[in-house]
Amino acid sequence: MGYYVLGDQGQKYGPADIPTLNQWIAEGRIVPHTMLQDEASGGMIAASTIPGLLFLPTASPVSSNYPRYNQAPQYQAPAYTSSSGSSDNGPITLAFAMALVSPILSFFLPIGGLLTAMWGIRSAIRAKDNGHPLGVIAIVACGVAIAFWGFIRIAGIGRGMFLR
């Protein structure tokens, strides 16, 4: 029974039997996620699921002259950098700090909790505009702090309730 090896650009190699495929594995031309097509049925299957294929963790190419079939792209997520190119986490840190401090201030200062949450939203928007992935979450957190401030004001339980 043979298999066709499907390359990156849609090329088809083969059909090749199990010993030939194992040789190509040893040469580094086939990796576990390389797609193969069964010669008899035409079905697609990953190389790692075919019995008899030997994938060794230390297999390395014998020669760089061989083409590599269906290599997975190497992707690394980009690190957050601000528009100035540095990884400045100041605005996002400030936004989350203000979202935490605002509810506490809402009990003691009539307007302190509101101003703190608004400052946090301003910092969160700056972080979001610079591309920080947590910018929207910080905006929502500060919005919740403003809603809490409103609840405290409407319920009348703030403004020095612990100072009586």
Side-chain angles (χ1 to χ4, degrees):
M1 173 156 40
Y3 295 92
Y4 290 100
V5 179
L6 304 177
D8 288 339
Q9 308 299 325
Q11 318 94 311
K12 238 181 180 180
Y13 303 95
D17 57 0
I18 297 295
T20 304
L21 292 174
N22 278 325
Q23 179 183 353
W24 289 354
I25 291 169
E27 294 169 353
R29 298 166 72 183
I30 297 177
V31 294
H33 64 272
T34 300
M35 294 305 293
L36 304 177
Q37 183 179 22
D38 188 344
E39 181 182 23
S41 69
M44 305 292 287
I45 189 166
S48 62
T49 61
I50 296 177
L53 293 186
L54 306 172
F55 290 98
L56 302 176
T58 59
S60 63
V62 174
S63 170
S64 61
N65 295 335
Y66 294 111
R68 295 182 182 220
Y69 307 130
N70 202 8
Q71 293 290 316
Q74 298 296 321
Y75 175 76
Q76 185 171 357
Y80 161 72
T81 55
S82 67
S83 59
S84 64
S86 65
S87 60
D88 179 23
N89 287 326
I92 198 72
T93 304
L94 182 64
F96 280 115
M98 294 300 106
L100 293 174
V101 170
S102 175
I104 297 167
L105 288 178
S106 295
F107 284 112
F108 300 107
L109 301 172
I111 197 96
L114 177 64
L115 293 177
T116 305
M118 290 172 58
W119 187 13
I121 286 179
R122 180 179 176 272
S123 295
I125 290 172
R126 184 180 314 142
K128 179 183 153 293
D129 289 344
N130 285 339
H132 200 286
L134 296 176
V136 173
I137 295 172
I139 292 170
V140 171
C142 290
V144 169
I146 288 176
F148 182 78
W149 175 85
F151 171 76
I152 294 296
R153 296 279 77 66
I154 290 171
I157 57 176
R159 198 196 272 195
M161 71 175 263
F162 296 114
L163 300 176
R164 294 180 190 181

